[in-house]
C-alpha cells in the first residue's frame, strides 16, 4: 500500500491505458507484430475512420488502436476529417487530461529544444516521472505525436555515412526505426 502511494505520487501524470499487449516494457513477439501493423496503418491511413479497420473484424492491432489511440483522443474526426490532431479539442482535454498533458509535454520537448531531438530522448522523457510510460506505449504515442506535428516540424535521419538527411515526410523506413 505504501509503495503504491509513493508510485502514485512520483508518477502522478501516468495515463491509464488498459491494454496488456502494449502496456509493458517488453511487449511479446505477437504484440510487437500487432504494434508494427498498427503503426503502418497510422502512417498510411491517418485520414480514414478507425484507420480503415473493417467494422466487423477485430485483429489485435484494432484492439490496440481502440484502447490506446482513439479512446484516448490521439486519433479523431475534426472539421478536416480524421487525423492525429495538432490541437486537442476542449472535450478531449477534459476527458483525457493525462493524455493531453503527455501530448503537450512531447510537443514542448520538441519545440523548446535548441537542437535536434532524437526519438530516444522523447521516450526517456515520457518514461521518467511524472509520466512513467512503458516502452510499448512510447512507440505508439511517439508516432501519434509525430503525425500530429507532421506539418509543424522537420524530420531527419542518418544515412549510411552517418550524416543527417532531411526526411520530407514520415515513411515506412522511418517508422520502422521508432523502436
Amino acid at each position: 500500500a505504501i509503495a503504491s502511494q509513493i508510485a502514485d505520487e512520483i508518477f502522478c501524470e501516468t495515463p491509464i491505458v488498459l491494454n496488456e499487449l502494449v502496456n509493458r516494457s517488453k511487449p511479446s513477439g505477437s504484440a510487437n507484430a500487432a504494434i508494427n501493423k498498427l503503426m503502418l496503418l497510422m502512417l498510411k491511413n491517418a485520414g480514414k475512420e478507425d484507420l480503415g479497420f473493417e467494422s466487423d473484424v477485430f485483429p489485435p492491432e484494432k484492439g490496440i488502436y481502440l484502447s490506446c489511440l482513439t479512446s484516448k483522443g490521439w486519433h479523431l474526426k475534426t472539421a478536416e476529417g480524421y487525423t492525429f490532431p495538432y490541437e486537442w479539442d476542449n472535450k478531449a482535454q477534459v476527458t483525457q487530461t493525462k493524455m493531453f498533458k503527455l501530448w503537450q509535454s512531447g510537443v514542448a520537448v520538441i519545440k523548446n529544444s535548441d537542437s535536434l531531438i532524437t526519438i530516444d530522448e522523447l521516450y526517456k522523457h515520457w518514461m521518467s516521472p511524472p509520466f512513467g510510460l512503458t516502452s510499448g506505449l512510447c512507440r505508439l504515442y511517439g508516432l501519434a505525436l509525430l503525425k500530429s506535428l507532421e506539418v509543424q516540424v522537420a524530420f531527419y535521419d542518418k544515412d549510411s555515412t552517418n550524416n543527417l538527411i532531411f526526411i520530407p515526410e514520415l515513411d515506412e523506413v522511418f517508422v520502422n526505426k521508432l523502436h
Side-chain angles (χ1 to χ4, degrees), residues 5-154:
Q5 288 175 329
I6 293 170
D8 287 345
E9 289 176 23
I10 293 172
F11 296 105
C12 58
E13 296 298 339
T14 303
I16 295 172
V17 179
L18 302 176
N19 189 301
E20 293 182 17
L21 285 175
V22 294
N23 198 359
R24 359 186 76 206
S25 294
K26 292 188 179 193
S28 68
S30 58
N32 275 323
I35 293 167
N36 291 338
K37 287 178 185 176
L38 175 57
M39 290 175 74
L40 291 177
L41 289 172
M42 291 167 67
L43 180 68
K44 296 176 182 176
N45 293 346
K48 294 182 179 179
E49 181 177 6
D50 292 336
L51 297 180
F53 284 111
E54 296 177 26
S55 62
D56 59 340
V57 178
F58 289 92
E61 55 271 21
K62 184 176 181 181
I64 297 169
Y65 166 75
L66 293 172
S67 63
C68 299
L69 294 173
T70 192
S71 69
K72 302 296 183 185
W74 286 90
H75 188 250
L76 49 82
K77 186 175 183 178
T78 66
E80 293 81 36
Y82 286 90
T83 188
F84 292 93
Y86 176 70
E87 294 182 356
W88 285 42
D89 63 25
N90 291 336
K91 180 183 175 189
Q93 289 180 38
V94 172
T95 61
Q96 297 298 330
T97 305
K98 290 183 178 182
M99 279 297 175
F100 178 64
K101 287 181 180 179
L102 182 74
W103 178 85
Q104 280 183 311
S105 77
V107 170
V109 164
I110 293 168
K111 292 209 168 192
N112 295 337
S113 176
D114 293 332
S115 60
L116 295 175
I117 296 294
T118 67
I119 198 69
D120 285 338
E121 290 171 305
L122 176 65
Y123 291 175
K124 284 178 189 172
H125 171 74
W126 279 346
M127 293 168 105
S128 301
F131 299 108
L133 281 192
T134 62
S135 59
L137 289 173
C138 282
R139 290 172 52 203
L140 284 179
Y141 296 140
L143 180 55
L145 176 69
L146 296 180
K147 289 294 292 176
S148 76
L149 298 174
E150 202 165 20
V151 297
Q152 305 290 323
V153 298

